[in-house]
């Protein structure tokens, strides 16, 4: 399993970023996928998840209405569009496959991509 996250960076509050996750080494289109984040000194938390076909999504309350998860199964890529970013969104963002229950994860992580929201 290989997960390569990209698209992070430094952005001002209110700005936007689009993260990408290139997945390989498993049948990506057969798995739900998710984005997690981990801020310094905090536990990793679920941000968003999407079913294998992309027909259903879940979001953490803290990002609802601001973040959108999507996927392109032809490209084995998952995206996270982040709008109206806040300083509290600062974290390393990771993608990982999930079970069909949209809860179970298997412990596969990439290197993550750093998102820093600061003026």
């Amino acid at each position: 399993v290989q997960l390569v996250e990209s698209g992070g960076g430094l952005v001002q509050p209110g700005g936007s970023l689009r993260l990408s996750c290139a997945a390989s080494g498993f049948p990506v289109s057969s798995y739900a996928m998710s984005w997690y984040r981990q801020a310094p000194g905090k536990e990793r938390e679920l941000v968003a998840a999407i079913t294998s076909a992309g027909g259903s999504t879940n979001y953490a309350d803290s990002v609802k209405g601001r973040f959108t998860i999507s996927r392109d199964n032809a490209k084995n890529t998952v995206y996270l569009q982040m709008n109206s970013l806040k300083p509290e969104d600062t974290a390393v963002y990771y993608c990982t496959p999930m079970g069909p229950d949209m809860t179970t994860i298997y412990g596969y992580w990439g290197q993550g991509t750093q998102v820093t929201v600061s003026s």
Side-chain angles (χ1 to χ4, degrees):
V1 174
Q2 187 172 17
L3 302 160
V4 180
E5 302 92 345
S6 62
L10 173 64
V11 62
Q12 292 186 342
S16 298
L17 284 174
R18 188 194 195 204
L19 306 185
S20 298
C21 168
S24 60
F26 65 102
V28 178
S29 62
S30 297
Y31 282 80
M33 293 293 294
S34 59
W35 284 96
Y36 279 73
R37 67 185 181 187
Q38 188 167 23
K42 295 187 177 181
E43 292 188 354
R44 198 169 294 188
E45 63 172 351
L46 176 64
V47 174
I50 187 168
T51 51
S52 57
S56 182
T57 56
N58 290 339
Y59 296 94
D61 288 343
S62 59
V63 306
K64 280 181 182 176
R66 300 188 298 120
F67 290 12
T68 303
I69 187 172
S70 62
R71 65 190 297 162
D72 184 339
N73 284 340
K75 296 181 179 180
N76 286 347
T77 301
V78 184
Y79 304 98
L80 186 67
Q81 178 66 44
M82 307 187 296
N83 298 329
S84 303
L85 282 161
K86 304 176 180 180
E88 51 263 45
D89 295 318
T90 295
V92 179
Y93 284 71
Y94 304 87
C95 69
T96 192
M98 293 187 106
D101 59 4
M102 300 279 275
T103 300
T104 302
I105 58 174
Y106 305 103
Y108 296 105
W109 303 101
Q111 84 289 347
T113 186
Q114 175 71 49
V115 172
T116 302
V117 185
S118 175
S119 54

